[in-house]
Amino acid sequence: GYCEGGGNRKGEGIMKRLQFSIDIQAPRATVWRKMLEQESYRDWTSAFTEGSYYEGSWEQGSTIRFLSPGGEGMVAEIAESRPFEFVSIRHLGFIKGGIDDTESPAARAWAPAYENYTFVEKNGTTEVVVDLDTNAEFEKMFSDLWPKALRRLKELCERD
């Protein structure tokens, strides 16, 4: 019922799956690299936070931290990685002041949350599909910012 979890404000903990996609005139290996390599990652993700970067690796099973210049962000693990085809990020919690938080009620209300990138190439065009779990608090922000980020990624891939 509605009382489960008690004290939920703004629909916290109630996850919704959002999907965004874009067609990019480039082979999927190029799109994969531009999306995930540090230098170009910093560029397209500036739509969310200027100076965003990650620490870690996109290999299956590895820990990855998504950070802002101030050291805040999210800690995750790569649940699945099939190069040039699919990557699944399992978000585990937040990073505050450089410290991973996977145990607090706020982190537990939200994690695990998945963010998946799928790359499908047809006739030299790659469709990137992003599926992500979010709560009501972030839904509008992601709906505004993901399309901007993907347009920026498209520019980066098609420029070369």
Side-chain angles (χ1 to χ4, degrees):
Y2 287 108
C3 300
E4 283 172 48
N8 278 351
R9 56 185 196 286
K10 279 204 226 157
E12 242 178 289
I14 297 167
M15 299 305 269
K16 183 169 180 178
R17 174 72 45 122
L18 302 181
Q19 186 176 85
F20 306 97
S21 68
I22 196 164
D23 287 335
I24 298 175
Q25 306 295 314
R28 70 181 181 182
T30 300
V31 178
W32 169 277
R33 284 195 292 269
K34 292 284 186 192
M35 194 163 190
L36 304 184
E37 284 175 359
Q38 185 75 254
E39 189 183 338
S40 42
Y41 176 89
R42 286 174 181 256
D43 188 321
W44 73 265
T45 58
S46 65
F48 301 104
T49 303
E50 197 66 49
S52 296
Y53 66 103
Y54 64 83
E55 289 175 351
S57 139
W58 295 95
E59 284 174 40
Q60 193 160 310
S62 63
T63 297
I64 190 164
R65 289 177 176 82
F66 300 98
L67 296 157
S68 69
E72 312 286 290
M74 303 195 300
V75 59
E77 73 177 352
I78 303 303
E80 194 174 338
S81 180
R82 300 195 305 273
F84 314 127
E85 284 179 32
F86 179 75
V87 65
S88 176
I89 304 159
R90 182 188 298 125
H91 291 289
L92 303 175
F94 307 108
I95 302 168
K96 293 243 161 60
I99 308 293
D100 293 357
D101 166 20
T102 57
E103 298 299 321
S104 72
R108 284 172 177 256
W110 168 79
Y114 287 84
E115 184 175 326
N116 299 332
Y117 307 156
T118 305
F119 304 80
V120 180
E121 187 179 339
K122 280 195 203 89
N123 306 323
T125 297
T126 301
E127 183 187 24
V128 179
V129 181
V130 175
D131 290 289
L132 61 109
D133 296 328
T134 189
N135 58 20
E137 190 182 351
F138 293 110
E139 184 180 348
K140 179 170 180 359
M141 180 189 80
F142 284 144
S143 296
D144 290 343
L145 297 182
W146 261 108
K148 286 182 187 152
L150 288 174
R151 282 196 298 275
R152 181 64 193 147
L153 177 66
K154 179 180 170 78
E155 281 172 31
L156 287 173
C157 293
E158 293 181 357
R159 199 171 60 192
D160 290 350

